[in-house]
Each structure stands twice: as structure tokens, then as C-alpha cells.
Amino acid sequence: MDFSGISPLLNLLPQRIISWSLKMYMVESKGGAIVCMLLALLFLGTWPAVLTLLERRGRLPQHTYLDYSITNLLAAVIIALTFGEIGKGTPSAPNFFTQLSQDNWPSVLFAMAGGMVLSIGNLSTQYSLALVGLSVTEVITSSIIVVIGTTMNYFLDDRINRADILFPGVGCFLIAVCLGSFVHASNAADNKEKLKSLSTEATGFSTDKEALKNNVRDSDVENGSGSAEKARAGTAGFLIELENRRSIKVFGKSTITGLAITFFAGICFSLFSPAFNLATNDQWHTLKEGVPHLSVYTAFFYFSVSCFVVGIVLNIIFLYHPILNLPKSSLKAYLSDWNGRGWAFLAGFLCGFGNGLQFMGGEAAGYAAADSVQALPLVSTFWAILIFGEYRRSSRKTYILLVSMLFMFVVAVGVLMASSGHRK
């Protein structure tokens, strides 16, 4: 990008400001990397809550994911055209448009492979969020990412992170994961007791689940409208109303199915960051001599294009051939469905910018340390409690386990960030 037209204006600025403005597109300091990780943690912990909100309001997940895919790609384009073009490129670090015409296809393919597995993982997640729940889905997928992905990134990054700090952090994540599993088991037991104790005289509902679903009026549980005002969060009536309203019905579904989808998503997630690492640093020396490495912004663009294509193709197939007994839809129905579209667009932006910030921090401080964003269940659990009423009116045992899990996640994210190194 040519900045010659603004050069007279730049001459009026102090040299320190000019230097910063022309180099701010590269994160080079440990402090800057940590800021990127913290912002990524917030964004990546929030977008699944938005998808959960739409599913619980009854919007088909195929429609939501198609909208999400559009803005997820748009976020990568914005990052590439801003950070990727600010400042003067060099032969060793060319700008975004320059790299598009270079012979860097081995690295491009690594980036696109990462985008493919991320898209499949995200697609799986939107179903596991309904079947398993927001908090547990994030806990399980995050743990798999830390155990597999962080270990791979540590060796790919030539061990720039401090192993004596990094792997105890991984251990903290594993402890938190075990606690999260106990939280899920305890909360599930609490919900079963609530349904068993449901009294027709006290609530006006039948204890038969099918009859319960038929007797609930159409209402937006999350907004507290309609009959949701009579069924407070955490009660049996609330659970029944939610089942009646949501698009993915969970009553009668096997827990094993939900957990299998969740573990599959976690394995996909654990691979995208190492693939991106290979795309930007070429540890396997696949590029020809003299060809510069992909910048994080160019790699993220190719990564997101692949993610977009896979997501669009699979969800168009799912429109006409849905899974989990969802109703069939069509492109025409999708295009006319504006209910919640703005929220779906927001989810795409949050995920896109969250991934971009994670990669920016990882390029500066090591992708193993950047995996500290996998403490995102901290954020997801906050939204789960605040918006969806999870864990309300649960047992004392569940609350103790929940607090213990959150505490261990705080320790884990701090330890992983403390292991940050500096790429030479």
C-alpha cells in the first residue's frame, strides 16, 4: 500500500510515533502478545454462547452457521487489509498483497488444512453445545487442545517456552478438566432429581416428558417472556420449557452421542494451531530457498478461506440432509430467515478476531503459550450462568466443584502465560 500521499503529514509527527504507527501491525513484545491472548480469550469464550443463545431460541443451527461463516471470513479480510498492509514491506517480510503472488503454496496448504479442521470442529461444536452443554463442551475441547496441541506447538516452536512452567500449566488444565467432568455429572444428577420431583399440583405440568413438552407455550426462555416468567431458571419447569423451545431436542438423546461429538471436535481443534504454526514458520522446510515465510495475516487469510468453504459446503448439505432429527430446510428458507441473523454475524466476528489475535500472540511469544486462551471455559461458564441459568438451584456439591474448576482454570491460564518465550 502506498503511503506517499500522507508523507507531508507524517513529517509533522514525532519520529517515535511514526515508528510505532508503521510497525504496530507486528506484535513483537511479550506484553503485546499477552494482551492479544487476553482479548482472544474473551472473544473465543463468548461466540459459543451466542450460538447457544440462538439454538435455544429455536433457530436452525444450519442457518446460524452459514451466517457465522460469512463474518468469520470477513474478520480475516479486515485483519489482512489493515494490519497486513500497514507499513512498508521488506523482502523477508512482505505485505499481504505481495505474498499472494509468491510461490509459497506449501505453507498455504498448511494454513488451509488448519482452517479445514477448525471449521469441522466448530461445526461439531454447535451440536455438542446443545447435547452436552456450554460449559462441559468448552472444558472437554479445551483440555484436548492443551494436551495434544500445546505439546505439538512446544516442539514445533523449538522449545522457546519454559518447559518447567509450561507443562505444570498443562497439568493444571487437566485437573480443571477432571473437575469440569465432575461438575457436569453432579449437575446432571441435580436436573434428574428436579424432573423426578416435578409436581403437577405445584407447577401445573404433567410429569410425563412428552406431555410436558406439549403443554408448554411457545416462549423465549432467555428473554424471560411468555411462560418463562412462571418457570424460574434452574427449576424443572424451566428445563421443560427450554426443551420445547430449542431447535435441537435433547430429551431422549444419548449422552454418549453428545460426548463423542465433543471429543471429535476437540481432536479437530487440537490440530489447527500446529498447522498454522507450520504455515507461518516452515519448521519442516517445505518452502523453496529465498521464499519468505507467510506472515501471520496472510496465513490467517488462507486459513479463513478454507474454513469458510468447508463450513458453507457442509451446512448447505445439512440444509437438505439434516442430522439429529432436525427439520429439513432450503437455501430459500435460509435467505428469508432474519430471526437472530445479527447475533450469528456477531458470533462470526468474535470467532474470527479471536483466532486472529491468538495467532498474533502466538507468533510473538510461541503458539504453546498462546494456547492459554483455552481457558475460555472461564468466559463460557460466566455466560452459561448469567444468560442460560445453568447451575441455578443446584446442589452444594455442584457449587463447590464449579468454584474449584474455575479457580484451577485461573491458575492454568496464568501459568501458561508465564511460560511465554520470545521468538528469535
Side-chain angles (χ1 to χ4, degrees), residues 152-215:
M152 293 174 66
N153 279 323
Y154 171 73
F155 290 103
L156 286 173
D157 283 335
D158 199 22
R159 308 182 185 187
I160 66 174
N161 301 99
R162 292 186 56 184
D164 58 330
I165 299 178
L166 177 66
F167 288 106
V170 173
C172 291
F173 266 108
L174 290 175
I175 295 173
V177 168
C178 294
L179 290 171
S181 300
F182 295 148
V183 169
H184 173 57
S186 180
N187 192 55
D190 292 342
N191 289 339
K192 286 182 179 180
E193 288 300 318
K194 292 172 187 175
L195 292 172
K196 285 181 180 179
S197 63
L198 188 63
S199 169
T200 303
E201 292 77 17
T203 64
F205 290 113
S206 165
T207 54
D208 178 73
K209 290 183 180 179
E210 290 301 321
L212 282 166
K213 289 194 286 184
N214 293 332
N215 285 334

Side-chain angles (χ1 to χ4, degrees), residues 376-397:
L376 55 87
L378 283 171
V379 180
S380 297
T381 301
F382 172 79
W383 295 125
I385 296 172
L386 181 67
I387 299 177
F388 308 124
E390 290 187 12
Y391 309 115
R392 293 187 188 178
R393 294 176 173 81
S394 293
S395 64
R396 181 179 180 183
K397 175 184 176 182

